[in-house]
Amino acid sequence: MSFEFWNDRNVFVTGCTGLLGSWLTKKLVESGANVIGLIRDLVPKSNLNWSGFDDKIVTVRGEIEDYFILERVLNEYEIDTVFHLAAQTIVTIANRNPISTFNANIKGTWNLLEAARRSPLLERMVVASSDKAYGSQLNLPYDEKTPLEGKHPYDVSKSCADLLCGSYHETYGLPVCVTRCGNFYGGGDLNFNRIVPGTIRSVLENNRPIIRSDGKMVRDYFYIEDGAEAYMLLAEKMTKKIHGEAFNFSNEDPMNVLEIVNEILKAMSSDLKPIIRNESSNEIEKQYLSALKAREILGWNSRYSMEEGLEKTIKWYQDLSLNSNQLKK
């Protein structure tokens, strides 16, 4: 990352209170950027607030589904760079309520793409897609040439948003790139239905961790600071040569759910045994990514091993547990 690149640059971050958004916002502010963040709901326990960076940015209250708010922000704040992270990201919620997921993830994306198209000062836009956009594929690991074939509501929403970005580049020349990452983990994730924060909280409370699936599903687990830095590096490298391109980011060390739980238990010196419920549905069995393109074109490499990422993550939740009641349900 280049501190000189970001100094005094006007940057719009949607989803800035989320796991990735909060870490990205922190790193952008530390690099000297002027960050404008879109916030739908006030989340007092969010990592953005907990880190103390909520009062270091301009916050705009509104929804990504509201086109006119997006147009206003891009123009009034003379936005140079956009990171579009806002989304409904939980697979179980998407299965239960697909309409709200489609509104946020598909309509929200086309709203921002259209507002960006009409903004003469915009120089670059990075949109968060997902490995889920690929759907279920036989050939692993997925690379960027793998077809986008989401089948279930969340996966479809990401496939659609991804394709919209390509359409706006091909049709209007919009300077947009797409990121596809695996499962982020790190301090600040308060969605305890996710396996990493849920397991850590269970151990801190001396409860057996719960695995909703059969524990055999294979995923990338990607440390959040690696993710934030990857987004910033991509934006810095966005010349016309790579506009319209998608990039996978992964530490290329896939693990199944039971393995990641056992890694956490080991790191926390716990002898608790997980409860395997085997009740999840509409989830892909094996999904992991190749980051060869990002390494070759962007010169990107992950900085944190799984052991280092888990160590930093566990410490974050231990510190939080000592200083507040935020781990409580």
Side-chain angles (χ1 to χ4, degrees), residues 30-93:
E30 290 173 339
S31 299
N34 306 314
V35 178
I36 294 85
L38 182 71
I39 297 177
R40 184 188 67 178
D41 300 327
L42 184 63
V43 185
K45 297 180 181 180
S46 74
N47 186 45
L48 187 67
N49 289 354
W50 180 253
S51 67
F53 278 78
D54 56 318
D55 61 357
K56 294 180 172 62
I57 69 171
V58 174
T59 58
V60 176
R61 295 295 300 275
E63 298 184 346
I64 197 72
E65 296 91 335
D66 187 336
Y67 170 80
F68 294 103
I69 283 180
L70 304 177
E71 188 177 71
R72 178 180 73 80
V73 169
L74 294 184
N75 285 279
E76 286 189 8
Y77 291 98
E78 299 184 317
I79 298 298
D80 168 274
T81 302
V82 170
F83 290 100
H84 177 37
L85 314 178
Q88 195 301 100
T89 62
I90 310 303
V91 171
T92 54
I93 292 175

Side-chain angles (χ1 to χ4, degrees), residues 215 218 254-264:
V218 176
M255 305 175 72
N256 68 37
V257 174
L258 188 56
E259 287 172 336
I260 189 71
V261 169
N262 286 333
E263 284 291 320
I264 295 169

Side-chain angles (χ1 to χ4, degrees), residues 206-219:
N206 200 32
N207 294 323
R208 294 174 65 189
I210 293 173
I211 297 176
R212 298 192 318 274
S213 68
D214 60 6
K216 297 178 182 178
M217 289 189 297
V218 176
R219 295 288 186 271

